[in-house]
């Protein structure tokens, strides 16, 4: 085993970076003590759990680490390998030494491994993967072009193959070349992809796990797998009869209410909205924010598209846009989740995804697909432009026809006017004579009626005058009689004959002595004046 393999066998390389020589010595001392303790423990436990066959003495052989001397007593426990009851006993170090030899014998060179990426992470420039057997590749590793199902990803609860896991590490020195190859074709290594990797098998002694040190990734196979997965999705949509669902939806004549699914503030968002704003039309944009790349993008795009229907947002059309990017950045638009969200949308969906190569799956199943967000927005403006131009054309055409009708009618009217004018003049003269005759007749009738009414009024005038005089004389006589009566009933006239009027202190007329009390002050009124009096004595006639 070379030095590199020995270093790798203890674990991930970052665990050994910047480690001092002192720490290395301490670790060696710790391992030596651990081996001795294991040997002692194994020797002691052998007397408790291992019986010598036929009562014979147990013989322990030190093996490669302790020479050929036989150990027959418990006093010497410092062995690396021994025999207990005919069974060989190894220390951890001896076990790993044999394991390394076995692995080197079984896998003397780099091997190719194919599996689905369950986990993928980066640390200090190194890449760490967990590979599992994809359901479609188990037992058929040679058929690498067959991808795992696009509608099912790795799930430890649903796949019986996921119990077999292989740790893969790609050191920083090897990853730079692989990363460069991935960048050239515009894809990335992501969870869920089925990959074919080359590397050397080793043992990570720190965790007791077998792993593969990756130094090569089959880019062509990965591209083929992605293309195959994409083709399988398109065929599945066609077989299920839903491929054309959104393409069959009709775009309104004036799609001014636009639903937008994109990353807020991104270049694609700004380009799309900028075109609509500069158009001069009254576009209303209803934004549903979403990631447009990465592991969560497909779920967020699906959620955003569903919200327009669930929240009853009044849109005419939905646009899904994203600026330019690599193939890996745009991989989300080849996902089944995003495609199904578009197909189940009740609104026509347009896509504006920045790409220069093949169309994405969502481009093909959407109502319309465009190469950039700007092109998508311009197409919307073009639809409204077309409606406006058609409206203006129809308006101008209708206006011209109306003026043609008016001009034609004017000519006809002028012709009828020249024909009707003599007739109208004769009729007017005839009607004017008839009118004058009626005026004279009505004047005579009115004058006769007026004279008759004047005679009647003169007769009634004399009758009314006599009646008024008679009524006036009668009323004057009645007034005189009442005047005489009032004079007779005047209190002053009564008091002139000796009567008087008495009022109490409250100003009320005293009508009975029962209302009086001694020392009351009274006001006494006579015909020629009044005076104050005090009650001294009260005498009642009853």
């Amino acid at each position: 085993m070379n030095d590199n393999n020995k270093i790798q066998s203890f674990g991930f390389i970052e665990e050994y970076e910047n480690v001092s020589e002192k720490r290395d010595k301490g670790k060696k001392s710790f391992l030596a003590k651990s081996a001795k303790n294991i040997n002692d423990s194994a020797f002691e436990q052998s007397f408790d759990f291992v019986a010598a066959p036929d009562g014979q003495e147990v013989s322990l052989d030190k093996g490669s680490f302790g020479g050929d001397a036989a150990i027959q007593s418990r006093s010497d426990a410092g062995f690396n390998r021994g025999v207990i009851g005919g069974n060989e006993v190894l220390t951890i170090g001896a076990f790993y030494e044999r394991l390394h030899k076995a692995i080197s014998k079984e896998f003397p060179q780099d091997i190719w491994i194919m599996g689905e990426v369950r986990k993928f992470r980066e640390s200090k420039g190194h890449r760490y993967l967990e590979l599992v057997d994809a359901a479609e590749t188990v037992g058929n590793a040679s058929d690498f072009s067959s991808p795992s199902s696009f509608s099912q990803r790795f799930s430890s609860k649903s796949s019986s193959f996921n119990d077999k896991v292989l740790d893969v590490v790609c050191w920083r020195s090897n990853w730079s070349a692989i990363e460069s190859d991935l960048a050239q074709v515009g894809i990335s290594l992501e969870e869920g992809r089925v990959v074919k990797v080359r590397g050397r098998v080793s043992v990570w002694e720190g965790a007791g796990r077998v792993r593969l040190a990756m130094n090569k990734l089959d880019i062509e196979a990965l591209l083929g797998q992605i293309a195959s997965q994409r083709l399988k999705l398109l065929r599945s949509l066609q077989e299920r009869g839903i491929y054309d669902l959104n393409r069959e939806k009709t775009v309104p004549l004036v799609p001014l209410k636009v639903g937008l699914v994109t990353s807020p503030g991104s270049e694609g968002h700004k380009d799309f909205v900028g075109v609509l704003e500069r158009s001069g039309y009254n576009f209303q944009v209803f934004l549903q924010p979403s990631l447009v790349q990465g592991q969560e993008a497909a779920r967020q795009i699906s959620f955003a598209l569903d919200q327009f229907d669930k929240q009853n947002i009044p849109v005419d059309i939905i646009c899904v846009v994203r600026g330019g990017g690599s193939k890996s950045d745009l991989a989300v638009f080849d996902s089944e989740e995003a495609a199904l969200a578009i197909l189940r949308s009740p609104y026509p969906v347009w896509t504006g995804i920045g790409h220069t190569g093949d169309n994405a799956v969502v481009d093909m199943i959407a109502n319309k697909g465009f190469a950039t967000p700007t092109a998508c927005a311009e197409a919307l403006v073009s639809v409204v432009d077309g409606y406006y131009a058609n409206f203006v054309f129809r308006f101008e055409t209708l206006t011209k026809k109306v003026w043609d009708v008016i001009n034609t009618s004017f000519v006809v009217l002028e012709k009828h006017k020249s024909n009707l004018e003599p007739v109208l003049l004769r009729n007017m003269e005839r009607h004017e004579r008839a009118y004058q005759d009626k005026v004279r007749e009505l004047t005579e009738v009115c004058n006769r009626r007026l004279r008759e009414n004047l005679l009647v009024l003169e007769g009634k005038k004399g009758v009314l005058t006599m009646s008024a005089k008679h009524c006036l004389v009668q009323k004057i006589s009645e007034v005189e009689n009442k005047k005489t009566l009032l004079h007779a009933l005047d209190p002053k006239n009564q008091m002139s004959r000796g009567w008087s009027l008495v009022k109490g202190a409250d100003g009320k007329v005293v009508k009975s002595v029962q209302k009086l009390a001694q020392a009351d002050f009274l006001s006494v009124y006579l015909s020629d004046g009044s005076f104050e009096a005090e009650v001294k004595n009260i005498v009642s006639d009853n």
Side-chain angles (χ1 to χ4, degrees), residues 392-409:
V392 171
F393 172 76
R394 290 175 178 271
F395 178 79
E396 291 176 349
T397 302
L398 180 61
T399 303
K400 183 178 181 301
K401 288 183 178 180
V402 169
W403 277 113
D404 289 343
V405 171
I406 291 174
N407 292 331
T408 303
S409 301

Side-chain angles (χ1 to χ4, degrees), residues 146-304:
S146 300
S148 59
S149 171
F150 54 78
S151 61
Q152 296 180 351
R153 287 300 180 198
F154 173 82
S155 172
S156 58
K157 297 181 180 179
S158 62
S159 175
S160 61
F161 305 106
N162 296 338
D163 294 334
K164 299 183 179 69
V165 181
L166 176 62
D167 289 328
V168 178
V169 58
C170 184
W171 307 117
R172 183 169 47 221
S173 57
N174 291 327
W175 176 253
S176 59
I178 296 175
E179 186 176 34
S180 176
D181 292 341
L182 289 171
Q184 286 182 5
V185 296
I187 60 175
S188 62
L189 198 56
E190 299 174 355
E191 294 175 4
R193 293 199 187 283
V194 176
V195 296
K196 185 178 180 182
V197 300
R198 188 189 71 185
R200 184 169 292 275
V201 180
S202 63
V203 177
W204 176 20
E205 296 180 2
R209 298 168 71 174
V210 176
R211 70 181 179 187
L212 184 75
M214 181 175 75
N215 54 44
K216 181 70 173 178
L217 175 67
D218 192 334
I219 303 296
E220 293 183 1
L222 182 57
L223 286 172
Q225 185 263 342
I226 294 173
S228 176
Q229 182 177 356
R230 182 171 177 272
L231 180 60
K232 185 174 180 180
L233 172 56
L234 292 173
R235 287 177 178 173
S236 173
L237 297 177
Q238 291 172 341
E239 291 170 359
R240 290 149 68 182
I242 59 176
Y243 184 89
D244 294 320
L245 281 182
N246 201 265
R247 296 165 68 181
E248 293 171 352
K249 297 186 183 302
T250 302
V251 177
L253 291 175
V254 192
L256 293 175
K257 296 180 179 180
V258 182
L260 180 59
V261 176
T262 191
S263 177
S266 64
E267 291 301 318
H269 179 207
K270 295 176 182 178
D271 292 345
F272 182 87
V273 174
V275 172
L276 298 187
E277 290 177 346
R278 291 190 296 271
S279 70
Y281 296 119
N282 188 26
F283 281 103
Q284 292 178 270
V285 178
F286 300 85
L287 175 65
Q288 283 292 333
S290 171
L291 292 175
V292 289
Q293 71 180 61
Q295 294 292 321
E296 286 294 311
R299 183 187 64 80
Q300 290 194 17
I301 290 173
S302 175
F303 177 81

Side-chain angles (χ1 to χ4, degrees), residues 349-414:
V349 178
W350 285 9
T351 59
I353 301 168
H355 57 74
T356 56
D358 296 335
N359 288 335
V361 170
V362 296
D363 291 326
M364 290 191 255
I365 56 94
N367 189 273
K368 281 188 179 181
F370 300 91
T372 62
T374 299
C376 184
E378 288 174 347
L380 270 178
V381 174
S382 178
V383 171
V384 180
D385 276 338
Y387 177 82
Y388 179 74
N390 184 52
F391 173 80
V392 171
F393 172 76
R394 290 175 178 271
F395 178 79
E396 291 176 349
T397 302
L398 180 61
T399 303
K400 183 178 181 301
K401 288 183 178 180
V402 169
W403 277 113
D404 289 343
V405 171
I406 291 174
N407 292 331
T408 303
S409 301
F410 184 77
V411 173
V412 173
L413 286 174
E414 286 294 325

Side-chain angles (χ1 to χ4, degrees), residues 449-465:
R449 293 284 181 87
L450 184 60
R451 288 192 296 271
E452 292 174 355
N453 289 331
L454 285 174
L455 292 175
V456 173
L457 287 173
E458 286 295 331
K460 290 184 177 182
K461 176 181 177 183
V463 173
L464 288 174
T465 301

Side-chain angles (χ1 to χ4, degrees), residues 337-355:
E337 190 169 7
L340 290 179
I342 291 175
L343 292 175
R344 66 173 171 263
S345 174
Y347 308 102
V349 178
W350 285 9
T351 59
I353 301 168
H355 57 74

